[in-house]
Amino acid sequence: MVMDIATLKDFKPSEYEEAADGYRAISDMAGSSMDAVDNQISAGIRNQLRGEAAKAVLGELRKLSKNFHYVQTECALASTALNGFAFDMGAAKRKLEAALADAHAASCTVGTDGSVTYPAGGKEVDGKAPEGGTMPPGTSPTNPTSASLERTAANMHPNPNFGKAQDLANRIGDALQEAEEADHKWAPKLRALKADDDLVVSARDWTDVKSDTDGVRTASKGYLGSLPHPPKDGSPKGNAAWWKGLTPEQQSDYLAVHPDSIGAMDGLPAAARDQANRTVLDEARSEAQLDYDAWLKDHPEPKRYTPYINPLTGTEVKGAMVESQEWKDWEKARKGARGGLDGMEAIQQRFDTSTGEETRPYLLGFDTRNRGHAIVSIGNPDTADNVVTYVPGTGSTLNGIDGDINHALALQVKAERMDPAHSTASIAWLGYDAPQSLLGDATDAKYADAAREPLTEFLTGIDTSHQGSVNSTLLGHSYGTLVAGETMRDHPDLPVDNAILVGSPGVGVGHAKDLNIGSDRVWAATAKNDLVNLAPPPSGTLAPLNPMAYWRLFNDHSVMYGNDPTSDEFGGQTFHVADGKLPLSDGLMPAHSQYWEGDSLNNMAKIVTGGKP
């Protein structure tokens, strides 16, 4: 609309700020309702009821939870948008009020159209002062030449009130123009914040949320710029202090328009990071689903089976069918088209199957960069007495995160049963790009080198956000032991009390003392049938003329990345694990993944809860 003085004078930013508070309150209520549905009502049903009726009810409750999450997110955006609109209009209103006050002090009269009438004044000529006049509405010239000409005209005019009126008219015009631009900017953004007229939150709805978020974030730069900024160094302690210094309203605004940044901030409360990352997850999952659906539409499934042709006779074998090469190629392309969708669905499944507060999942990190990353805690790490952070190894990707979460869950459940007087949070930390091949990537330490700082910041952040004292354990598996070892080696002040190293090809040090926590708190185990026992010594030691090097190849302590942590030479502690399945009995090296069962799981749980196996 066309802005005029009366409209801008009557504008009350407080009314829009109160409306923003109302939307924020609705957002908070929707978030609390989603929490109640997921972690109380649905969890109670899963714990007590079975059968088709229970499945049907849980299905409807999942839909209700999605609705609440959608309401929570969109109402938070509406709150931020209204605050942004009130901020922009309030700034224009203040400029107008200041100009009107200055006009009154200068004995000038402002017309309803923004014109300024100024009185007579200046040096008298023939006993008469230069006459007054009226300056038409205007705005400050943006062109330097025009601005210079305007100043020259004011300086040459015999009535000094002419220049004052000119400046006042421009200031009033600027305020009105600023208000009009704010109105035009925010009107479509606010109109876009509306849902479909149905009760189904679809993938398309969540992609619209992302579009809404981008729009509100861009439009609210002025408002967000007025809020306290996150620390430039991004340290966990700095992040925590910044977050605590924000009002609940400001925290809500940051969560609404910067969920990806807030979710990745080490040192912030787990609940805040979880809320932010779940929004990012829903947006990414919906986008991936729509892309996958589009791919399926453009690539219809070919006929799967074709008659088997005997290669010797070249004739069909009656009744024998095999998968066609065309279908195999299509199936391979289909799996590729899903991207990280399998992993995203696995994470969501954790929220959909939670059975109580003790095993409630918290999404502490999520993105789809490179191979994708996810950090999932079973239990609240801010309040748990024991916190264990598990770093997976070779072959880990976002799509395979379900197995890593299963490991974290198994250890958390076992630790809670072993020490019911103290709570345990178990974290699967896939915050790095893991190597993908045993004989290729895994022989290069660059993946661990790149993971050291992210893991350090995460562990420091967990310690920073924790309420009270905590017993912290870092658990590495396979190549993840190298990540854990390098991180502990290079950061003497890392807040880690215990280390567990299983299925390790070496941890980047020759002795347990080099991990900076005391050799008596470094625990290692490798199953007898784990092929990681065949990890070669460091590159370059097998010189043809060095017989000692060949002896070391078969010695039990020289492995790829330093001494074997289960050897006497390493100087740490060991614990018992089962031999595991034989190689090739269930995949290439099944024993390498059997540390989360039997004696091994029991012993790890003892360490995590402060005991000794």
Side-chain angles (χ1 to χ4, degrees):
M1 68 178 181
V2 178
M3 190 63 60
D4 56 40
I5 290 178
T7 300
L8 186 53
K9 283 177 64 177
D10 291 341
F11 181 84
K12 294 181 175 59
S14 60
E15 293 182 350
Y16 291 87
E17 291 167 346
E18 289 171 0
D21 290 342
Y23 274 101
R24 182 164 58 87
I26 295 173
S27 175
D28 291 344
M29 286 189 290
S32 297
S33 298
M34 180 181 72
D35 181 62
V37 168
D38 290 345
N39 300 300
Q40 297 178 32
I41 302 173
S42 296
I45 291 174
R46 294 186 196 103
N47 287 328
Q48 300 178 32
L49 301 177
R50 298 289 184 273
E52 293 303 316
K55 290 181 181 179
V57 170
L58 288 171
E60 293 303 310
L61 287 172
R62 280 195 294 271
K63 293 178 184 177
L64 182 60
S65 175
K66 290 179 181 178
N67 287 347
F68 280 134
H69 191 200
Y70 180 75
V71 171
Q72 178 190 31
T73 305
E74 284 286 81
C75 284
L77 279 174
S79 176
T80 303
L82 288 167
N83 277 329
F85 176 62
F87 177 86
D88 290 346
M89 291 293 291
K93 179 182 173 70
R94 288 191 295 274
K95 290 180 180 179
L96 174 65
E97 291 172 339
L100 294 177
D102 289 346
H104 178 74
S107 300
C108 294
T109 303
V110 179
T112 57
D113 61 348
S115 60
V116 178
T117 300
Y118 57 94
K123 186 176 180 180
E124 293 186 354
V125 178
D126 298 329
K128 186 177 181 182
E131 294 182 353
T134 300
M135 184 65 60
T139 57
S140 300
T142 55
N143 184 284
T145 301
S146 300
S148 178
L149 291 173
E150 191 174 87
R151 288 193 299 271
T152 299
N155 291 332
M156 294 178 61
H157 199 281
N159 187 343
N161 292 321
F162 173 87
K164 295 178 182 178
Q166 187 178 66
D167 178 63
L168 289 166
N170 286 346
R171 288 168 59 191
I172 292 169
D174 290 344
L176 294 175
Q177 183 181 54
E178 190 174 314
E180 188 170 331
E181 288 175 352
D183 183 68
H184 288 165
K185 175 180 71 174
W186 280 110
K189 300 291 187 296
L190 290 165
R191 278 196 293 267
L193 296 173
K194 64 178 182 180
D196 298 334
D197 56 351
D198 58 36
L199 295 177
V200 178
V201 179
S202 65
R204 184 69 63 187
D205 289 327
W206 275 108
T207 57
D208 287 343
V209 169
K210 189 176 188 306
S211 176
D212 292 341
T213 302
D214 293 341
V216 172
R217 180 172 55 245
T218 300
S220 60
K221 283 184 177 178
Y223 167 64
L224 294 174
S226 71
L227 304 182
H229 293 181
K232 290 184 179 180
D233 65 355
S235 69
K237 285 182 169 51
N239 291 340
W242 166 75
W243 186 256
K244 290 177 182 177
L246 299 177
T247 66
E249 178 185 59
Q250 292 168 342
Q251 291 177 351
S252 176
D253 288 332
Y254 269 106
L255 279 166
V257 297
H258 290 296
D260 51 346
S261 298
I262 298 301
M265 277 192 178
D266 295 310
L268 266 58
R273 295 183 70 172
D274 177 64
Q275 179 181 337
N277 285 314
R278 289 189 66 176
T279 297
V280 177
L281 170 66
D282 276 338
E283 291 173 353
R285 189 161 61 101
S286 297
E287 185 175 356
Q289 184 65 59
L290 291 175
D291 289 344
Y292 178 60
D293 291 343
W295 187 91
L296 288 176
K297 184 177 180 181
D298 294 337
H299 301 81
E301 181 177 3
K303 188 176 180 180
R304 181 169 183 174
Y305 294 102
T306 186
Y308 174 68
I309 305 297
N310 188 318
L312 298 177
T313 64
T315 60
E316 285 188 18
V317 177
K318 187 176 181 180
M321 303 290 285
V322 294
E323 291 179 342
S324 67
Q325 187 59 47
E326 184 183 10
W327 184 87
K328 290 178 181 178
D329 293 342
W330 176 88
E331 178 65 4
K332 181 178 179 181
R334 183 192 68 80
K335 290 179 179 178
R338 286 183 64 80
L341 194 55
D342 290 340
M344 293 183 238
E345 289 179 346
I347 294 171
Q348 183 58 48
Q349 183 68 10
R350 294 295 161 174
F351 292 103
D352 294 341
T353 57
S354 174
T355 56
E357 192 62 35
E358 296 80 8
T359 56
R360 172 182 176 176
Y362 288 81
L363 187 57
L364 304 181
F366 174 82
D367 67 67
T368 57
R369 291 181 290 106
N370 301 327
R371 297 186 178 109
H373 310 105
I375 306 171
V376 180
S377 177
I378 305 300
N380 189 343
D382 289 349
T383 58
D385 299 302
N386 306 301
V387 176
V388 53
T389 301
Y390 152 56
V391 182
T394 302
S396 299
T397 63
L398 176 60
N399 260 345
I401 192 66
D402 192 47
D404 298 323
I405 301 174
N406 279 336
H407 289 163
L409 176 61
L411 185 52
Q412 192 272 347
V413 171
K414 181 62 68 173
E416 289 270 346
R417 291 175 181 171
M418 190 164 289
D419 183 12
H422 299 91
S423 58
T424 297
S426 182
I427 302 170
W429 187 86
L430 182 59
Y432 79 116
D433 291 318
Q436 294 300 296
S437 60
L438 291 172
L439 300 180
D441 292 350
T443 63
D444 195 329
K446 67 180 182 180
Y447 302 95
D449 296 343
R452 287 180 303 203
E453 291 309 313
L455 180 56
T456 298
E457 295 296 288
F458 176 77
L459 292 170
T460 304
I462 291 297
D463 185 67
T464 299
S465 63
H466 194 274
Q467 303 166 20
S469 61
V470 60
N471 173 47
S472 175
T473 300
L474 181 56
L475 164 60
H477 171 238
S478 184
Y479 189 91
T481 64
L482 179 62
V483 175
E486 284 196 358
T487 303
M488 296 177 70
R489 177 196 69 194
D490 294 350
H491 299 87
D493 297 327
L494 197 69
V496 170
D497 300 300
N498 318 287
I500 301 176
L501 312 165
V502 291
S504 176
V507 298
V509 298
H511 197 281
K513 64 181 175 58
D514 298 326
L515 298 181
N516 297 303
I517 62 169
S519 301
D520 60 328
R521 288 183 283 137
V522 177
W523 296 88
T526 298
K528 177 181 178 181
N529 293 323
D530 188 343
L531 288 181
V532 79
N533 286 304
L534 301 180
S539 175
T541 62
L542 294 180
L545 300 180
N546 182 3
M548 189 67 174
Y550 289 88
W551 178 84
R552 284 174 56 84
L553 175 61
F554 296 98
N555 193 6
D556 69 348
H557 71 271
S558 178
V559 290
M560 193 177 301
Y561 297 110
N563 285 337
D564 181 349
T566 65
S567 67
D568 292 340
E569 288 81 0
F570 188 76
Q573 307 296 310
T574 60
F575 61 95
H576 176 262
V577 297
D579 291 349
K581 296 180 181 178
L582 291 170
L584 302 178
S585 64
D586 184 11
L588 176 62
M589 43 194 301
H592 193 57
S593 300
Q594 288 188 279
Y595 296 100
W596 284 266
E597 57 187 64
D599 288 345
S600 175
L601 181 61
N602 287 333
N603 288 329
M604 289 196 296
K606 288 178 183 178
I607 299 168
V608 167
T609 55
K612 292 185 177 182

